[in-house]
Amino acid sequence: MATSNDIKNGTVILENGQLWSVVEFQHVKPGKGGAFVRTKQKNVVTGKIVDKTYNAGAKIETASVDRSDYQYLYQDGADFVFMNLSDYDQITVSGTIVGDASKYMLENQQVTIAMHDGSPLYIELPASVVLEVTYTEPGLQGDRSNAGSKPATVETGAEIQVPLFLETGTKVKVDTRTGEYLGRVND
């Protein structure tokens, strides 16, 4: 058992038989009344996000979650196959657990998989990845980065918004949390 004072980003809380991962937290000490902890939690299985408040020092049950480094090998139908980088064991993770992370995963990319009691809970990607634009409308002479944006398809099949001057074949840096264009990458 832990207390609400131990909450931080990434903490997994076991509540009513469900696992909730803390996305954001804030310790609040108002001038009047007792302190409390305001959290934004994501259901590990369904992905639902809720706001929850705990009194300071309240008992909470945390779940033991092991995070290990894996290498993404390939997609097998709706499932994804990963290899543990420490012991080279391969595991298959369903597409529902991988979720939106599949939009930014390339083969041989390193990811972190969180496991609870031997079953995968969720996948953590690096904060940003470099992907090649496979299709976008041609750029126009004189277009600047602040003039607007257009849709572009990257090599994983995801569609992102890029500046008007980018062309097919350009490598771009993409934020894996938001799918936002972060910049051009020169080889």
Side-chain angles (χ1 to χ4, degrees), residues 18-92:
Q18 295 185 338
L19 295 172
W20 297 86
S21 176
V22 176
V23 180
E24 290 179 23
F25 75 99
Q26 179 182 21
H27 288 279
V28 179
K29 175 115 176 70
K32 189 175 186 181
F36 57 92
V37 180
R38 186 179 294 136
T39 66
K40 186 176 281 189
Q41 300 176 2
K42 179 179 180 182
N43 187 307
V44 172
V45 178
T46 64
K48 179 181 177 184
I49 295 180
V50 297
D51 293 326
K52 186 130 175 97
T53 303
Y54 298 96
N55 290 329
K59 299 275 186 220
I60 57 170
E61 188 174 350
T62 58
S64 62
V65 174
D66 300 320
R67 289 177 173 84
S68 300
D69 290 332
Y70 285 80
Q71 182 178 16
Y72 169 54
L73 297 178
Y74 58 91
Q75 186 172 355
D76 183 18
D79 298 335
F80 296 82
V81 179
F82 296 88
M83 178 180 66
N84 189 323
L85 293 176
S86 59
D87 60 11
Y88 304 110
D89 280 346
Q90 291 185 11
I91 63 166
T92 302

Side-chain angles (χ1 to χ4, degrees), residues 94-173:
S94 77
T96 55
I97 292 173
V98 173
D100 287 343
S102 65
K103 294 180 183 178
Y104 309 108
M105 283 191 323
L106 289 173
E107 291 183 358
N108 301 322
Q109 181 178 354
Q110 187 172 332
V111 299
T112 302
I113 298 181
M115 309 275 271
H116 175 67
D117 291 339
S119 62
L121 297 175
Y122 56 89
I123 303 230
E124 294 175 356
L125 293 174
S128 64
V129 292
V130 175
L131 299 171
E132 184 176 331
V133 175
T134 55
Y135 176 77
T136 188
E137 296 294 325
L140 299 172
Q141 185 76 24
D143 282 338
R144 297 290 173 254
S145 61
N146 59 357
S149 62
K150 62 182 178 180
T153 305
V154 292
E155 59 189 306
T156 58
E159 192 170 282
I160 62 170
Q161 293 292 319
V162 297
L164 294 170
F165 63 84
L166 283 182
E167 297 179 356
T168 300
T170 306
K171 289 192 183 278
V172 295
K173 193 174 202 178

